[in-house]
C-alpha cells in the first residue's frame, strides 16, 4: 500500500476581475500579460467567507474520491488569510463536512503551504496514523493586498483547492490510452506498473524574510519582485531535482508537473531548468492569478476537468513562498474520469 491523491476539487469566487481593472493604477492588459501571463483573477467580496470556498472545494474532492466525511482522519487547511484570527478554517471545514472523527488544523507556510500540508498527509498515511486525509489550500489574498501597488495588486487572486490523499494498492491498474485528452492538451497518466512511493523535500530560510512579507501593522504584502523571481526558480528547481534523484527518476518520468502558479514566467523557468516537456507543465495562472497555497490544488482540479489527467499517473509539485519557504514532491494519483464532476461552487 502507498499514499496517492484520489480526489481533487476547487472553488472560485463569482467575481472575475480582468486586467482592465488595474488601468486606474497605471497597469495595462498588455503590460500585465507580458510580465506575468495573468489575464484575470477572482475576488472574494469584502463580506465573503473563505470557509465557504474551502468547504466547496473539499466537498468536491471528497465526492470524487468516493470516500465519506466520516472516513477522513485529518483535515489540514493551508492558508495565510483565514476568516478569524482563531479558530482556523480547518475546524469549521471539518464540522460542516461532517468529518466528526477528524483532527483539524490550519498550516501557515505562505505559498508553499499546500506542499507542506501534502507532505504531512503522506507522512500520516505512511506511519499508519491515518488512511484518509483531506488537504485544502484556501486564500483570500485580496485581504492583504495593497490595491494601489501595481507591483503586487495585479498578481493576486482568491480561491480554494483541495485533494484527498488516501492509502491505495501499490499497483496502478489503468489501461493505456484510456484518456485521450482535449484540445487544451493531451491527457497524461496511463500507468500500469507500481506507484512510485511519494517523496518530498522542504526548506526554509528566515534570513530572506524582507523579500516578501506582510507585517503586523501594515497587513499588506510587500515584495522585492526581481529577487523573489530568482529565489523562486532556484529553490523550486533545486528541491524538485533532489526529489527526483531520491526516487531515481527523471523529469520524463513525471506525467504532470504543477508548480505554484505565481507567475507564468517563473513556472516556465522552473520547467526549463528541470527539462519538463511543455505538454507536461500545467499553467492556469492566466485565469486565476496567484492564489498562494490554493494554486496547486486549484490547478490540479482544473487540469482534471479539462481531461489532462489520465486515471493514474505520477504528479510532480513545487512551490515557493514568503519566509522564505519552499518545497517539492512527487506523488501518484488515481482519479475517476471527469464526466461526473460535481459542480464547483462558491
Amino acid at each position: 500500500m502507498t499514499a496517492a491523491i484520489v480526489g481533487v476539487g476547487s472553488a472560485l469566487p463569482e467575481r472575475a476581475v480582468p486586467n482592465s481593472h488595474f488601468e486606474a493604477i497605471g497597469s495595462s492588459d498588455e503590460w500585465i500579460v507580458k510580465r506575468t501571463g495573468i489575464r484575470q483573477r477572482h475576488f472574494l467580496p469584502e463580506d465573503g467567507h473563505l470557509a465557504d470556498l474551502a468547504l466547496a472545494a473539499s466537498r468536491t474532492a471528497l465526492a470524487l474520491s468516493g470516500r465519506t466525511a466520516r472516513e477522513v482522519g485529518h483535515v489540514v487547511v493551508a492558508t495565510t488569510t483565514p476568516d478569524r484570527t482563531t479558530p482556523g478554517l480547518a475546524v469549521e471545514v471539518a464540522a460542516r463536512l461532517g468529518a466528526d472523527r477528524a483532527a483539524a488544523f490550519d498550516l501557515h507556510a505562505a505559498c508553499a503551504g499546500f506542499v507542506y500540508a501534502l507532505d504531512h498527509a503522506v507522512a500520516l498515511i505512511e506511519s499508519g496514523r491515518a488512511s484518509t486525509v483531506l488537504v485544502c489550500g484556501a486564500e483570500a489574498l485580496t485581504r492583504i493586498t495593497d490595491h494601489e501597488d501595481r507591483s503586487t495588486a495585479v498578481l493576486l487572486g482568491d480561491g480554494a483547492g483541495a485533494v484527498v490523499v488516501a492509502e491505495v494498492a501499490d499497483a496502478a491498474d489503468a489501461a493505456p490510452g484510456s484518456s485521450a485528452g482535449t484540445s487544451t492538451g493531451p491527457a497524461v497518466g496511463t500507468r500500469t506498473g507500481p506507484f512510485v512511493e511519494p517523496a518530498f523535500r522542504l526548506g526554509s530560510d528566515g534570513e530572506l524574510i524582507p523579500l516578501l512579507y506582510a507585517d503586523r501593522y501594515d497587513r499588506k504584502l510587500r515584495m522585492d519582485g526581481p529577487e523573489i523571481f530568482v529565489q523562486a526558480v532556484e529553490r523550486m528547481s533545486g528541491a524538485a531535482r533532489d526529489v527526483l534523484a531520491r526516487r531515481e527518476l527523471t523529469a520524463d518520468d513525471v506525467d504532470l508537473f504543477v508548480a505554484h502558479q505565481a507567475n507564468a514566467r517563473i513556472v516556465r523557468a522552473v520547467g526549463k531548468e528541470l527539462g519538463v516537456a511543455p505538454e507536461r507543465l500545467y499553467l492556469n495562472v492566466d485565469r486565476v492569478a496567484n492564489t498562494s497555497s490554493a494554486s496547486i490544488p486549484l490547478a490540479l482540479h482544473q487540469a482534471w476537468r479539462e481531461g489532462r489527467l489520465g486515471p493514474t499517473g505520477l504528479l510532480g509539485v513545487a512551490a515557493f513562498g514568503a519566509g522564505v519557504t519552499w518545497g517539492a514532491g512527487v506523488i501518484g494519483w488515481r482519479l475517476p474520469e471527469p464526466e461526473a464532476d460535481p459542480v464547483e461552487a462558491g
Side-chain angles (χ1 to χ4, degrees):
M1 304 292 284
T2 191
I5 291 172
V6 298
V8 291
S10 67
L12 292 166
E14 289 185 11
R15 182 187 175 196
V17 179
N19 287 342
S20 57
H21 174 81
F22 299 98
E23 290 175 356
I25 60 171
S27 296
S28 68
D29 176 69
E30 180 182 8
W31 186 87
I32 296 169
V33 172
K34 181 178 180 180
R35 287 161 178 78
T36 71
I38 297 167
R39 297 184 181 277
Q40 71 169 27
R41 70 288 294 144
H42 291 253
F43 284 180
L44 190 69
E46 286 190 22
D47 61 351
H49 297 284
L50 184 58
D52 293 340
L53 293 182
L55 179 65
S58 297
R59 278 179 172 158
T60 298
L62 200 57
L64 288 179
S65 76
R67 273 71 174 177
T68 67
R70 300 205 78 203
E71 293 178 81
V72 176
H74 291 254
V75 175
V76 186
V77 177
T79 185
T80 59
T81 54
D83 291 328
R84 308 173 186 87
T85 300
T86 191
L89 288 175
V91 291
E92 181 176 352
V93 170
R96 292 171 67 182
L97 277 175
D100 55 5
R101 298 179 178 180
F105 66 93
D106 287 11
L107 185 154
H108 183 345
C111 298
F114 176 77
V115 174
Y116 272 61
L118 190 60
D119 173 60
H120 184 77
V122 168
L124 285 168
I125 290 169
E126 290 178 337
S127 68
R129 298 183 69 178
S131 60
T132 302
V133 180
L134 174 67
V135 178
C136 178
E139 299 287 4
L141 291 180
T142 49
R143 294 173 175 171
I144 56 172
T145 298
D146 181 346
H147 295 280
E148 301 301 315
D149 178 8
R150 72 195 294 252
S151 69
T152 56
V154 303
L155 300 173
L156 307 173
D158 303 335
V163 302
V164 175
V165 183
E167 188 178 55
V168 299
D170 289 335
D173 54 7
S178 59
S179 189
T182 70
S183 59
T184 60
V188 294
T190 51
R191 290 171 173 261
T192 56
F195 273 118
V196 172
E197 288 291 324
F200 290 85
R201 169 74 167 88
L202 308 179
S204 68
D205 185 351
E207 296 294 324
L208 300 180
I209 286 173
L211 296 183
L212 178 57
Y213 66 94
D215 74 28
R216 178 177 177 182
Y217 301 102
D218 179 39
R219 296 187 61 82
K220 302 297 181 186
L221 283 169
R222 306 299 175 190
M223 179 176 67
D224 180 341
E227 185 59 26
I228 283 293
F229 188 107
V230 173
Q231 289 288 333
V233 174
E234 177 182 332
R235 304 292 190 174
M236 286 195 282
S237 300
R241 284 195 197 95
D242 286 351
V243 168
L244 292 173
R246 191 185 315 168
R247 287 292 178 258
E248 299 182 342
L249 301 169
T250 71
D252 290 340
D253 294 309
V254 175
D255 294 304
L256 192 70
F257 185 77
V258 182
H260 166 50
Q261 304 286 303
N263 176 316
R265 291 167 57 222
I266 290 175
V267 174
R268 291 191 178 107
V270 172
K272 184 176 180 180
E273 285 288 321
L274 296 173
V276 177
E279 65 271 16
R280 294 173 184 247
L281 184 69
Y282 190 76
L283 272 170
N284 74 334
V285 69
D286 58 318
R287 291 167 276 167
V288 298
N290 179 348
T291 56
S292 188
S293 63
S295 76
I296 291 175
L298 204 162
L300 277 175
H301 186 223
Q302 291 190 345
W304 176 82
R305 293 181 71 189
E306 293 166 3
R308 292 288 303 275
L309 302 182
T312 60
L314 183 65
L315 172 70
V317 295
F320 175 91
V324 293
T325 55
W326 66 88
V330 291
I331 183 171
W333 77 74
R334 176 174 291 163
L335 297 167
E337 295 289 345
E339 52 213 33
D341 182 20
V343 177
E344 91 178 28

